[in-house]
Amino acid sequence: MALYLKAAEILEKAEMKQAALKTLVYDSKFVNIKQLFALVCETQKYSSVLQEIIESTKLLKQTKLRMHMAMVLVHDLVIGQGLKCGGSWKTMMMKHRPRLQAALARMKVKHKVSKNEDLLPDRLKVLPEGRLPRYVRVNTLKTTVEDVVDYLKRDGLTYLGQASRLDDLTLKEKHFVKDIHLPELLVLSPQTDFHDHFMYKAGHIILQDKASCLPAYLLNPPSGSHVIDACAAPGNKTSHLAAIMKNKGKLFAFDLDAKRLATMSTLLLRAGVTCQQLANQDFLKVDPDSLQYKDVEYILLDPSCSGSGMVCLREDTSSADQEKTQARLASLASFQLRCLNHALRFPRLKRIVYSTCSIHSQENEEVVAACLQQNPNFRLVPLLSRWPERGLEPLTQCLRASTSKTRTHGFFVALLEKHSEAGNTKQEPAAQISDIEAAPRSEVEAAPRSEVEAAPRSEVEAAPRSEVEAAPHSEMEVAPHSPSTCVKRHAASEEDESEASEADEKPTPAATEQADSTPGKRKRKRKRKKKKKNKKAATVG
């Protein structure tokens, strides 16, 4: 019965906006977090259906149950896989089961549907084919994609190669593919469960939604760099950053919640992360000018948000108080903008990823637009040209994700980069821009990661030329392997070669002196020969 008591408590707190549903679940320290999270999510998703069943049968009046307790019990009784409790609670609910099932049947007849899922609002229906795929990120700190593929094949699963289109992600049970966009992501059928699998417990694989993998992948900090994960818990993105950095450099991770940070520490230990420095601290109170962070060049900012993109956490707008919802979004957006502006104060910052699991433009495009207006020395970087869903106009350089278009939870990602220094703005040579524009499209798009490191031709040309030309020369000579250096370092190397060839053609001072002195020597030699000849003639005479 502890499961239902805790689930009801969490749903009530979430309704009062005390915290995000996921936060409340993980903070509960319940023995079986997975079971609790699944029950809470599914109950939340079917909340409108469950409330109608409870009200039509007058269950609260007859059982003296509170609404949230009744919802979790009714869910498992008539929608889920049966009650997971015994004693007087089960006896009481079983007594009312026929009436509850009849109420559900009447709802289906009324709406002319045959499945429970069809009673959900359109925005809560995941996919016509079923649930979201199971995404598995291979932890390259401990293994390789090839080894995991081989292990799964030996485990009886069928490998279908790399997906090439979205429809390839609709998989039968025991079938799996490599993802279209992310090279270290495997995609399996929704029914696949890895929570008790050896590779999961050993930290060889991370169970992480594809959209959640985008921020670290797009930031792509080079090995040995100094990076900040500003709002880090529960730690999946942090472990992803560490893997990209190959555990070299420094990874500063902040979170205000001590409990979540403790859970994150356990996760990072299991994942084999060693380059992290965790801090139980509010990121807004971190001093950007501290010597400790003087070399920070990359920041991942995934701040608290409404969670409206999470399939199981979406609010029922038909019954929610619209004024309260808008007020909460305004408050969240204000906080997110403060975090983003604060992050841009780190003096050596080159790039920052801003992401949310929200579908609201107030938390996404509007925050980024306000930040860019207040920080003109930063600009958006175009991302993944083949990604099927873009940011809302005019910020189409950003990415959005959704259940229907990307087969993920709802998500938003923007990548900002510094393109000028105060008081030291230089215009980039036109030759380097032509080099970028002349890069063959096929070469740019050949590897998935190159889409981030070197934007495809269409994306480079889409950016205003003035923005490209305004980039300071120093940015073309950033640390090795930093994002965008594939194209930029190539242009810089050509410039270096041209300077070297000019130096070879230009005579050195010594050579000039030698060249100038040669005619003088020849003249003196001729005079000496003439003098000797005259002297010899005089002697003979």
Side-chain angles (χ1 to χ4, degrees):
M1 195 59 205
L3 171 66
Y4 297 108
L5 289 169
K6 185 57 69 176
E9 178 188 335
I10 287 171
L11 286 169
E12 187 171 2
K13 287 181 178 178
E15 189 175 285
M16 294 188 292
K17 313 295 184 188
Q18 289 188 11
L21 204 61
K22 191 173 183 179
T23 302
L24 293 169
V25 170
Y26 279 89
D27 287 352
S28 69
K29 291 190 174 180
F30 190 71
V31 178
N32 192 334
I33 290 290
K34 175 195 166 187
Q35 184 185 43
L36 177 62
F37 189 58
L39 175 60
V40 167
C41 282
E42 288 300 302
T43 304
Q44 175 93 336
K45 186 167 73 172
Y46 281 95
S47 59
S48 59
V49 176
L50 294 170
Q51 286 177 19
E52 186 172 337
I53 292 173
I54 291 167
E55 290 169 2
S56 66
T57 58
K58 297 183 172 55
L59 184 67
L60 299 184
K61 184 177 181 180
Q62 296 181 23
T63 60
K64 307 299 181 185
L65 290 172
R66 294 171 65 89
M67 175 56 82
H68 296 99
M69 175 60 79
M71 285 170 63
V72 293
L73 289 169
V74 172
H75 173 273
D76 271 8
L77 187 63
V78 300
I79 293 177
Q81 298 178 351
L83 288 172
K84 301 173 182 68
C85 66
S88 58
W89 289 91
K90 186 171 185 178
T91 302
M92 177 185 67
M93 293 305 298
M94 294 300 288
K95 177 183 174 183
H96 296 281
R97 184 169 68 169
R99 292 191 308 111
L100 296 169
Q101 289 176 329
L104 178 60
R106 285 195 296 271
M107 285 184 68
K108 290 179 181 178
V109 171
K110 178 182 176 182
H111 293 280
K112 298 180 181 179
V113 299
S114 58
K115 297 178 181 179
N116 294 334
E117 293 84 359
D118 294 334
L119 293 171
L120 295 171
D122 289 339
R123 62 190 175 81
L124 292 178
K125 293 176 183 176
V126 180
L127 292 171
E129 300 86 351
R131 293 178 291 159
L132 291 175
R134 163 66 69 190
Y135 293 103
V136 171
R137 177 170 62 80
V138 176
N139 179 13
T140 55
L141 292 177
K142 287 197 165 186
T143 186
T144 64
V145 175
E146 291 73 21
D147 285 349
V148 172
V149 168
D150 288 343
Y151 193 100
L152 292 176
K153 286 162 71 175
R154 291 197 303 271
D155 229 13
L157 278 70
T158 302
Y159 179 53
L160 303 178
Q162 182 160 4
S164 59
R165 52 181 186 154
L166 201 61
D167 288 343
D168 292 342
L169 304 186
T170 302
L171 296 160
K172 296 178 182 178
E173 195 170 355
K174 292 190 175 294
H175 287 183
F176 73 104
V177 296
K178 278 185 188 177
D179 184 60
I180 311 170
H181 304 96
L182 307 185
E184 289 152 9
L185 199 66
L186 300 178
V187 190
L188 300 96
S189 68
Q191 296 82 12
T192 313
D193 186 6
F194 281 102
H195 287 89
D196 294 323
H197 199 282
F198 155 75
M199 288 194 295
Y200 171 70
K201 291 182 176 180
H204 290 194
I205 59 173
I206 310 293
L207 306 182
Q208 187 174 358
D209 185 65
K210 177 178 176 175
S212 177
C213 296
L214 288 172
Y217 173 75
L218 294 173
L219 186 61
N220 192 28
S223 177
S225 57
H226 286 207
V227 183
I228 284 178
D229 189 351
C231 306
N236 281 340
K237 296 181 186 70
T238 313
S239 68
H240 195 182
L241 285 170
I244 293 170
M245 296 164 64
K246 298 180 173 60
N247 249 346
K248 295 176 182 178
K250 290 185 180 179
L251 178 50
F252 302 98
F254 302 96
D255 204 275
L256 190 57
D257 192 311
K259 293 179 182 177
R260 283 163 58 88
L261 205 64
T263 303
M264 173 179 166
S265 180
T266 304
L267 184 150
L268 296 181
L269 180 65
R270 184 174 65 196
V273 177
T274 58
C275 63
Q276 82 278 20
Q277 292 188 21
L278 306 187
N280 180 207
Q281 189 176 357
D282 182 354
F283 176 64
L284 286 172
K285 294 181 180 178
V286 176
D287 181 9
D289 296 317
S290 169
L291 290 176
Q292 188 177 8
Y293 312 118
K294 65 182 179 63
D295 294 321
V296 168
E297 295 178 325
Y298 302 90
I299 294 179
L300 192 157
L301 176 62
D302 188 72
S304 297
C305 69
S306 63
S308 53
M310 302 297 288
V311 171
C312 61
L313 308 185
R314 295 181 183 174
E315 298 172 344
D316 186 356
T317 52
S318 61
S319 60
D321 186 332
Q322 289 296 319
E323 289 185 7
K324 286 184 179 179
T325 300
Q326 290 303 315
R328 180 169 178 254
L329 287 176
S331 177
L332 283 167
S334 175
F335 165 74
Q336 291 153 355
L337 180 57
R338 279 191 294 131
C339 287
L340 192 49
N341 281 332
H342 182 71
L344 300 190
R345 289 178 52 205
F346 285 79
R348 294 195 62 186
L349 181 67
K350 290 180 180 176
R351 287 193 165 193
I352 178 172
V353 158
Y354 171 75
S355 63
T356 74
C357 54
S358 170
I359 60 174
H360 299 298
S361 61
Q362 295 99 311
E363 300 177 87
N364 299 331
E365 289 88 356
E366 291 179 26
V367 168
V368 172
C371 177
L372 290 172
Q373 188 174 12
Q374 296 170 24
N375 299 274
N377 58 328
F378 280 83
R379 65 182 173 195
L380 282 171
V381 178
L383 302 173
L384 300 180
S385 63
R386 292 182 294 171
W387 189 261
E389 189 169 8
R390 315 303 304 181
L392 302 180
E393 292 283 357
L395 304 187
T396 54
Q397 302 97 321
C398 307
L399 302 183
R400 275 181 169 263
S402 63
T403 56
S404 58
K405 294 184 179 179
T406 61
R407 304 224 170 151
T408 66
H409 289 284
F411 215 81
F412 173 84
V413 188
L415 176 60
L416 285 72
E417 71 174 0
K418 184 178 288 187
H419 68 92
S420 66
E421 298 289 347
N424 185 31
T425 305
K426 294 184 180 180
Q427 194 169 22
E428 200 57 33
Q432 296 189 10
I433 296 169
S434 64
D435 288 338
I436 293 173
E437 291 179 345
R441 187 182 182 96
S442 59
E443 289 180 14
V444 174
E445 295 183 342
R449 184 159 296 177
S450 68
E451 291 184 46
V452 182
E453 294 175 337
R457 179 172 178 176
S458 61
E459 292 181 357
V460 175
E461 291 176 343
R465 187 180 182 92
S466 59
E467 287 187 10
V468 180
E469 294 178 344
H473 179 72
S474 61
E475 283 188 62
M476 295 303 241
E477 298 172 349
V478 294
H481 307 300
S482 63
S484 292
T485 55
C486 287
V487 172
K488 292 179 181 176
R489 197 188 312 132
H490 173 68
S493 65
E494 289 189 350
E495 185 182 32
D496 294 340
E497 287 173 8
S498 65
E499 288 176 358
S501 62
E502 286 175 12
D504 290 340
E505 292 172 8
K506 188 176 180 181
T508 61
T512 305
E513 184 181 346
Q514 187 177 5
D516 290 343
S517 63
T518 300
K521 284 183 179 180
R522 289 175 180 171
K523 189 175 182 180
R524 285 194 296 272
K525 193 173 180 181
R526 285 197 300 269
K527 282 182 178 181
R528 283 197 299 269
K529 284 183 178 179
K530 188 175 181 181
K531 191 175 181 181
K532 284 180 180 180
K533 190 175 181 181
N534 292 338
K535 191 176 180 181
K536 188 176 181 180
T539 305
V540 172

